[in-house]
Amino acid sequence: MINDRPTELRVDLNAILNNYNKLTALNNKKTGIAIVKADSYGLGARAIANHLYKNGVRHFATATLEEALELKDVIFDSMVLVLGVTNPQNVKYAVENNVSLTCPSKVWLEKCLEEMETIKGKLKIHVKIETGMGRIGTSDKEELVKIDKLLSSEKIDFEGIFSHYSNADGSDNNYDDYQTKNFDERLKLFTHKPKYIHIGNSASTVKYSDRQDQYNMTRLGISLYGCYPSENIEKLDKIKLEPVVSLVSKITHVKKFLKGEKLGYGVSYEAKQDEYIATVPIGYADGILRRAQGFKIKVGTEDCEIVGRVCMDQLMVRCSENIKVGDDVLIFGENNGQKISVDDFATFQDTISYEIFCCINKRVPRVYYKK
């Protein structure tokens, strides 16, 4: 397949592995779950999971059963936990492929046990305890006691129990402590403790790296991909994450505009003086949303402002007369000694790095390398 555009998303596989190793070492060598859900935040789960697996990582998590099944042929005997709710009618696929499922409620588990009556093998389960996030799982103690009894079934492998911090990237510990207390209280309701107990995410993995507690696993998401969950976590200065992702392109057209000439949809930009406008072959169909208008990207060594509305397939920047067709463009990441933080790009658009990565459309080729 040809690629007629010079736009590509570059992903450093070794930087991801290095971040994984740094994070697990920081967190008292607890088992780290590599979060590869949503196609590894849009960066390419197969390539990333395969590289991590070949370098010893054996614990992964996805959002859906479909995502897990798509990866089993590259990560084989690894634990793969589905973090979302799986339709009980599909538990046979989980059993057949050694995939662990999240149990969000007693009713869900009962339906799974009904399905398991005709299925050989055991269903691996991680019970989700609701402690203050409000998505899935239960906090009701009576329900959890009933779930505990159901877990004694010979058809169930009670592998894990977990919850999720909702404000660990914040500036204080108050809500984290509230959730931890809820979690600990509900852990006591279970007659048998599973192999894995986890509540940590990227933020808490860094924030509470000095804690020695009974939890033996932590989930590594955005930090795996070189981004801090928030400025609060970065300011703790506990770990230096390696940048992973760069979005690059090249100039395809340059034109001189005279003072007063207008450009773009809605004629949203007018030349304030005689100036040069260059075109970059990437647009909102590729994941560069229209709210990026006004952000300065790198063309060669120049800081060039995105002017006019971002189009579906292209955008324009104001530049100097020195810019030529074929010059390198850096939207975020690193290229030829130039750097633009994806967090700066995200902050300008009032969003987070997670969304920036996930929005980059599959039309943009992923190029994997090992620095």
Side-chain angles (χ1 to χ4, degrees):
M1 183 177 68
I2 68 168
N3 177 27
D4 195 43
R5 295 196 310 166
T7 301
E8 60 186 31
L9 190 71
R10 298 175 182 169
V11 181
D12 185 345
L13 295 175
N14 277 347
I16 296 174
L17 176 62
N18 291 342
N19 287 333
Y20 178 90
N21 289 333
K22 287 181 180 182
L23 287 157
T24 52
L26 177 71
N27 209 239
N28 303 314
K29 297 189 181 298
K30 291 180 182 178
T31 300
I33 306 180
I35 305 299
V36 292
K37 65 177 182 175
D39 197 28
S40 283
Y41 296 33
L43 304 181
R46 284 185 66 83
I48 291 169
N50 183 48
H51 185 67
L52 292 174
Y53 179 85
K54 287 181 176 178
N55 286 277
V57 178
R58 291 295 182 270
H59 299 84
F60 299 85
T62 65
T64 67
L65 178 58
E66 292 91 337
E67 290 177 352
L69 297 180
E70 288 171 359
L71 294 177
K72 285 302 292 187
D73 65 325
V74 295
I75 54 179
F76 308 105
D77 57 332
S78 298
M79 184 202 88
V80 183
L81 170 62
V82 176
L83 295 169
V85 179
T86 301
N87 188 330
Q89 294 180 350
N90 293 325
V91 295
K92 66 177 181 178
Y93 301 110
V95 175
E96 292 169 357
N97 292 277
N98 191 34
V99 173
S100 306
L101 300 184
T102 290
C103 170
S105 68
K106 178 180 75 71
V107 171
W108 181 90
L109 186 55
E110 288 172 339
K111 290 181 179 179
C112 287
L113 285 169
E114 291 176 7
E115 294 291 329
M116 288 298 296
E117 290 178 2
T118 58
I119 299 173
K120 292 183 179 180
K122 291 188 175 185
L123 176 63
K124 291 185 175 181
I125 289 294
H126 287 233
V127 174
K128 177 64 183 294
I129 297 180
E130 160 56 26
T131 60
M133 181 67 183
R135 291 191 301 200
I136 63 174
T138 181
S139 61
D140 185 85
K141 292 183 178 180
E142 290 185 6
E143 182 177 0
L144 289 170
V145 169
K146 293 176 181 178
I147 288 174
D148 179 57
K149 292 179 180 179
L150 292 173
L151 291 170
S152 64
S153 167
E154 62 180 12
K155 304 297 288 185
I156 297 295
D157 180 354
F158 181 26
E159 184 178 55
I161 190 165
F162 73 110
S163 191
H164 188 76
Y165 286 127
S166 65
N167 196 45
D169 59 352
S171 58
D172 62 55
N173 305 347
N174 296 337
Y175 201 70
D176 304 343
D177 292 341
Y178 165 77
Q179 287 191 263
T180 301
K181 181 181 178 182
N182 286 346
F183 190 52
D184 288 341
E185 287 177 354
R186 285 154 181 79
L187 279 177
K188 295 174 183 177
L189 301 174
F190 290 81
T191 53
H192 299 287
K193 294 300 184 290
K195 182 177 182 180
Y196 299 120
I197 302 174
H198 48 111
I199 190 173
N201 52 18
S202 284
S204 65
T205 296
V206 178
K207 192 176 185 180
Y208 302 128
S209 60
D210 55 347
R211 286 190 179 180
Q212 299 282 349
D213 54 32
Q214 73 272 38
Y215 314 145
N216 56 14
M217 177 174 267
T218 189
R219 302 186 299 274
L220 309 176
I222 194 64
S223 58
L224 197 64
Y225 306 113
C227 295
Y228 298 91
S230 68
E231 287 186 8
N232 296 317
I233 301 302
E234 184 175 9
K235 288 177 180 177
L236 293 175
D237 199 28
K238 288 187 174 184
I239 188 172
K240 182 66 175 177
L241 296 174
E242 296 184 20
V244 169
V245 189
S246 299
L247 182 60
V248 301
S249 189
K250 292 182 182 295
I251 296 298
T252 55
H253 188 74
V254 182
K255 181 180 179 180
K256 184 177 182 178
F257 273 66
L258 301 179
K259 180 180 179 180
E261 285 192 300
K262 299 178 180 179
L263 64 82
Y265 286 116
V267 290
S268 58
Y269 180 77
E270 180 178 326
K272 300 176 180 60
Q273 56 190 6
D274 291 357
E275 56 194 38
Y276 288 84
I277 300 295
T279 302
V280 184
I282 188 170
Y284 62 75
D286 303 295
I288 304 300
L289 304 182
R290 299 210 305 177
R291 60 177 181 257
Q293 179 179 345
F295 186 76
K296 291 182 178 180
I297 62 178
K298 290 284 187 181
V299 180
T301 60
E302 290 187 16
D303 294 318
C304 297
E305 181 182 343
I306 298 174
V307 295
R309 292 176 183 165
V310 175
C311 306
M312 183 181 291
D313 314 296
Q314 301 173 89
L315 59 81
M316 292 81 78
V317 297
R318 184 176 61 245
C319 62
S320 76
E321 60 183 326
N322 298 320
I323 298 303
K324 308 298 180 185
V325 170
D327 283 351
D328 285 344
V329 175
L330 174 65
I331 297 164
F332 61 77
E334 300 181 1
N335 188 46
N336 293 333
Q338 303 299 312
K339 297 181 181 181
I340 296 178
S341 165
V342 66
D343 290 313
D344 290 344
F345 186 58
T347 299
F348 181 87
Q349 299 172 76
D350 194 27
T351 185
I352 53 178
S353 57
Y354 310 65
E355 185 176 33
I356 296 298
F357 288 158
C358 289
C359 280
I360 304 301
N361 193 282
K362 290 294 188 294
R363 184 168 73 167
V364 178
R366 273 64 174 162
V367 177
Y368 302 99
Y369 66 100
K370 303 169 188 177
K371 187 184 295 183

